[in-house]
PDB file of all heavy atoms in Angstrom:
ATOM      1  N   ILE A  67      12.359  33.839 -14.004  1.00 92.00           N
ATOM      2  CA  ILE A  67      12.529  34.418 -12.676  1.00 92.00           C
ATOM      3  C   ILE A  67      11.277  35.212 -12.314  1.00 92.00           C
ATOM      4  O   ILE A  67      10.849  36.094 -13.066  1.00 92.00           O
ATOM      5  CB  ILE A  67      13.774  35.331 -12.628  1.00 92.00           C
ATOM      6  CG1 ILE A  67      15.013  34.556 -13.087  1.00 92.00           C
ATOM      7  CG2 ILE A  67      13.987  35.862 -11.215  1.00 92.00           C
ATOM      8  CD1 ILE A  67      16.256  35.410 -13.176  1.00 92.00           C
ATOM      9  N   PHE A  68      10.709  34.892 -11.158  1.00 93.00           N
ATOM     10  CA  PHE A  68       9.509  35.568 -10.680  1.00 93.00           C
ATOM     11  C   PHE A  68       9.816  36.212  -9.332  1.00 93.00           C
ATOM     12  O   PHE A  68      10.464  35.607  -8.479  1.00 93.00           O
ATOM     13  CB  PHE A  68       8.345  34.582 -10.539  1.00 93.00           C
ATOM     14  CG  PHE A  68       7.961  33.911 -11.825  1.00 93.00           C
ATOM     15  CD1 PHE A  68       8.558  32.705 -12.209  1.00 93.00           C
ATOM     16  CD2 PHE A  68       7.021  34.476 -12.662  1.00 93.00           C
ATOM     17  CE1 PHE A  68       8.213  32.096 -13.390  1.00 93.00           C
ATOM     18  CE2 PHE A  68       6.665  33.869 -13.857  1.00 93.00           C
ATOM     19  CZ  PHE A  68       7.265  32.673 -14.219  1.00 93.00           C
ATOM     20  N   LEU A  69       9.328  37.419  -9.172  1.00 93.00           N
ATOM     21  CA  LEU A  69       9.560  38.171  -7.939  1.00 93.00           C
ATOM     22  C   LEU A  69       8.233  38.480  -7.261  1.00 93.00           C
ATOM     23  O   LEU A  69       7.301  38.965  -7.903  1.00 93.00           O
ATOM     24  CB  LEU A  69      10.298  39.482  -8.246  1.00 93.00           C
ATOM     25  CG  LEU A  69      10.406  40.482  -7.089  1.00 93.00           C
ATOM     26  CD1 LEU A  69      11.293  39.929  -5.984  1.00 93.00           C
ATOM     27  CD2 LEU A  69      10.913  41.826  -7.584  1.00 93.00           C
ATOM     28  N   ILE A  70       8.171  38.182  -5.970  1.00 94.00           N
ATOM     29  CA  ILE A  70       7.040  38.600  -5.134  1.00 94.00           C
ATOM     30  C   ILE A  70       7.628  39.367  -3.949  1.00 94.00           C
ATOM     31  O   ILE A  70       8.353  38.794  -3.133  1.00 94.00           O
ATOM     32  CB  ILE A  70       6.219  37.407  -4.629  1.00 94.00           C
ATOM     33  CG1 ILE A  70       5.653  36.603  -5.800  1.00 94.00           C
ATOM     34  CG2 ILE A  70       5.083  37.880  -3.729  1.00 94.00           C
ATOM     35  CD1 ILE A  70       4.849  35.390  -5.383  1.00 94.00           C
ATOM     36  N   ASP A  71       7.351  40.651  -3.884  1.00 93.00           N
ATOM     37  CA  ASP A  71       7.823  41.508  -2.797  1.00 93.00           C
ATOM     38  C   ASP A  71       6.594  42.038  -2.054  1.00 93.00           C
ATOM     39  O   ASP A  71       5.684  42.606  -2.680  1.00 93.00           O
ATOM     40  CB  ASP A  71       8.655  42.671  -3.345  1.00 93.00           C
ATOM     41  CG  ASP A  71       9.293  43.491  -2.243  1.00 93.00           C
ATOM     42  OD1 ASP A  71      10.377  43.114  -1.773  1.00 93.00           O
ATOM     43  OD2 ASP A  71       8.689  44.515  -1.857  1.00 93.00           O
ATOM     44  N   TYR A  72       6.593  41.856  -0.724  1.00 93.00           N
ATOM     45  CA  TYR A  72       5.375  42.197   0.006  1.00 93.00           C
ATOM     46  C   TYR A  72       5.694  42.640   1.418  1.00 93.00           C
ATOM     47  O   TYR A  72       6.749  42.347   1.981  1.00 93.00           O
ATOM     48  CB  TYR A  72       4.420  40.994   0.048  1.00 93.00           C
ATOM     49  CG  TYR A  72       4.954  39.807   0.808  1.00 93.00           C
ATOM     50  CD1 TYR A  72       4.754  39.672   2.185  1.00 93.00           C
ATOM     51  CD2 TYR A  72       5.675  38.801   0.163  1.00 93.00           C
ATOM     52  CE1 TYR A  72       5.240  38.581   2.882  1.00 93.00           C
ATOM     53  CE2 TYR A  72       6.169  37.708   0.849  1.00 93.00           C
ATOM     54  CZ  TYR A  72       5.949  37.607   2.211  1.00 93.00           C
ATOM     55  OH  TYR A  72       6.439  36.533   2.908  1.00 93.00           O
ATOM     56  N   ASN A  73       4.741  43.367   1.974  1.00 91.00           N
ATOM     57  CA  ASN A  73       4.672  43.652   3.407  1.00 91.00           C
ATOM     58  C   ASN A  73       3.198  43.632   3.785  1.00 91.00           C
ATOM     59  O   ASN A  73       2.375  43.112   3.024  1.00 91.00           O
ATOM     60  CB  ASN A  73       5.367  44.975   3.766  1.00 91.00           C
ATOM     61  CG  ASN A  73       4.846  46.139   2.933  1.00 91.00           C
ATOM     62  OD1 ASN A  73       3.664  46.170   2.547  1.00 91.00           O
ATOM     63  ND2 ASN A  73       5.716  47.095   2.638  1.00 91.00           N
ATOM     64  N   GLN A  74       2.830  44.198   4.900  1.00 90.00           N
ATOM     65  CA  GLN A  74       1.443  44.131   5.345  1.00 90.00           C
ATOM     66  C   GLN A  74       0.499  44.877   4.406  1.00 90.00           C
ATOM     67  O   GLN A  74      -0.676  44.515   4.284  1.00 90.00           O
ATOM     68  CB  GLN A  74       1.307  44.696   6.760  1.00 90.00           C
ATOM     69  CG  GLN A  74       2.061  43.897   7.806  1.00 90.00           C
ATOM     70  CD  GLN A  74       1.791  44.397   9.208  1.00 90.00           C
ATOM     71  OE1 GLN A  74       0.688  44.869   9.511  1.00 90.00           O
ATOM     72  NE2 GLN A  74       2.783  44.315  10.082  1.00 90.00           N
ATOM     73  N   THR A  75       0.985  45.919   3.745  1.00 89.00           N
ATOM     74  CA  THR A  75       0.099  46.781   2.944  1.00 89.00           C
ATOM     75  C   THR A  75       0.351  46.698   1.448  1.00 89.00           C
ATOM     76  O   THR A  75      -0.572  46.855   0.657  1.00 89.00           O
ATOM     77  CB  THR A  75       0.245  48.238   3.397  1.00 89.00           C
ATOM     78  OG1 THR A  75       1.620  48.638   3.274  1.00 89.00           O
ATOM     79  CG2 THR A  75      -0.208  48.390   4.845  1.00 89.00           C
ATOM     80  N   ASP A  76       1.589  46.464   1.035  1.00 90.00           N
ATOM     81  CA  ASP A  76       1.945  46.541  -0.381  1.00 90.00           C
ATOM     82  C   ASP A  76       2.340  45.160  -0.901  1.00 90.00           C
ATOM     83  O   ASP A  76       2.838  44.301  -0.163  1.00 90.00           O
ATOM     84  CB  ASP A  76       3.101  47.524  -0.595  1.00 90.00           C
ATOM     85  CG  ASP A  76       2.741  48.936  -0.145  1.00 90.00           C
ATOM     86  OD1 ASP A  76       1.567  49.322  -0.333  1.00 90.00           O
ATOM     87  OD2 ASP A  76       3.620  49.626   0.415  1.00 90.00           O
ATOM     88  N   LEU A  77       2.155  44.997  -2.226  1.00 92.00           N
ATOM     89  CA  LEU A  77       2.485  43.727  -2.874  1.00 92.00           C
ATOM     90  C   LEU A  77       2.950  43.991  -4.296  1.00 92.00           C
ATOM     91  O   LEU A  77       2.310  44.729  -5.047  1.00 92.00           O
ATOM     92  CB  LEU A  77       1.264  42.798  -2.889  1.00 92.00           C
ATOM     93  CG  LEU A  77       1.421  41.491  -3.696  1.00 92.00           C
ATOM     94  CD1 LEU A  77       2.462  40.589  -3.062  1.00 92.00           C
ATOM     95  CD2 LEU A  77       0.076  40.769  -3.832  1.00 92.00           C
ATOM     96  N   ILE A  78       4.067  43.417  -4.655  1.00 91.00           N
ATOM     97  CA  ILE A  78       4.582  43.461  -6.027  1.00 91.00           C
ATOM     98  C   ILE A  78       4.754  42.023  -6.490  1.00 91.00           C
ATOM     99  O   ILE A  78       5.446  41.228  -5.846  1.00 91.00           O
ATOM    100  CB  ILE A  78       5.922  44.223  -6.112  1.00 91.00           C
ATOM    101  CG1 ILE A  78       5.754  45.669  -5.673  1.00 91.00           C
ATOM    102  CG2 ILE A  78       6.479  44.160  -7.534  1.00 91.00           C
ATOM    103  CD1 ILE A  78       7.063  46.435  -5.610  1.00 91.00           C
ATOM    104  N   HIS A  79       4.131  41.692  -7.599  1.00 91.00           N
ATOM    105  CA  HIS A  79       4.181  40.331  -8.141  1.00 91.00           C
ATOM    106  C   HIS A  79       4.436  40.445  -9.633  1.00 91.00           C
ATOM    107  O   HIS A  79       3.559  40.874 -10.390  1.00 91.00           O
ATOM    108  CB  HIS A  79       2.866  39.598  -7.875  1.00 91.00           C
ATOM    109  CG  HIS A  79       2.955  38.119  -8.124  1.00 91.00           C
ATOM    110  ND1 HIS A  79       1.974  37.232  -7.743  1.00 91.00           N
ATOM    111  CD2 HIS A  79       3.927  37.363  -8.695  1.00 91.00           C
ATOM    112  CE1 HIS A  79       2.330  36.006  -8.078  1.00 91.00           C
ATOM    113  NE2 HIS A  79       3.511  36.069  -8.669  1.00 91.00           N
ATOM    114  N   LYS A  80       5.652  40.082 -10.077  1.00 91.00           N
ATOM    115  CA  LYS A  80       5.978  40.248 -11.486  1.00 91.00           C
ATOM    116  C   LYS A  80       7.069  39.267 -11.898  1.00 91.00           C
ATOM    117  O   LYS A  80       7.750  38.674 -11.057  1.00 91.00           O
ATOM    118  CB  LYS A  80       6.437  41.676 -11.753  1.00 91.00           C
ATOM    119  CG  LYS A  80       7.738  42.065 -11.054  1.00 91.00           C
ATOM    120  CD  LYS A  80       8.146  43.487 -11.404  1.00 91.00           C
ATOM    121  CE  LYS A  80       9.476  43.858 -10.722  1.00 91.00           C
ATOM    122  NZ  LYS A  80       9.907  45.223 -11.088  1.00 91.00           N
ATOM    123  N   GLN A  81       7.218  39.118 -13.212  1.00 91.00           N
ATOM    124  CA  GLN A  81       8.303  38.321 -13.769  1.00 91.00           C
ATOM    125  C   GLN A  81       9.400  39.261 -14.236  1.00 91.00           C
ATOM    126  O   GLN A  81       9.127  40.291 -14.857  1.00 91.00           O
ATOM    127  CB  GLN A  81       7.808  37.465 -14.944  1.00 91.00           C
ATOM    128  CG  GLN A  81       8.890  36.580 -15.549  1.00 91.00           C
ATOM    129  CD  GLN A  81       8.351  35.651 -16.624  1.00 91.00           C
ATOM    130  OE1 GLN A  81       7.144  35.639 -16.900  1.00 91.00           O
ATOM    131  NE2 GLN A  81       9.219  34.863 -17.232  1.00 91.00           N
ATOM    132  N   ILE A  82      10.634  38.925 -13.918  1.00 91.00           N
ATOM    133  CA  ILE A  82      11.758  39.771 -14.290  1.00 91.00           C
ATOM    134  C   ILE A  82      12.645  39.032 -15.277  1.00 91.00           C
ATOM    135  O   ILE A  82      12.616  37.793 -15.366  1.00 91.00           O
ATOM    136  CB  ILE A  82      12.565  40.204 -13.054  1.00 91.00           C
ATOM    137  CG1 ILE A  82      13.119  38.984 -12.317  1.00 91.00           C
ATOM    138  CG2 ILE A  82      11.699  41.031 -12.112  1.00 91.00           C
ATOM    139  CD1 ILE A  82      13.938  39.339 -11.106  1.00 91.00           C
ATOM    140  N   SER A  83      13.431  39.806 -16.004  1.00 87.00           N
ATOM    141  CA  SER A  83      14.251  39.234 -17.076  1.00 87.00           C
ATOM    142  C   SER A  83      15.663  38.922 -16.635  1.00 87.00           C
ATOM    143  O   SER A  83      16.278  37.972 -17.120  1.00 87.00           O
ATOM    144  CB  SER A  83      14.284  40.200 -18.274  1.00 87.00           C
ATOM    145  OG  SER A  83      12.977  40.457 -18.753  1.00 87.00           O
TER     146      SER A  83
END
Side-chain angles (χ1 to χ4, degrees):
I67 305 175
F68 300 90
L69 170 67
I70 300 179
D71 186 85
Y72 64 88
N73 53 32
Q74 296 186 33
T75 57
D76 299 324
L77 173 66
I78 298 175
H79 193 169
K80 65 178 181 178
Q81 181 175 358
I82 60 179
S83 302

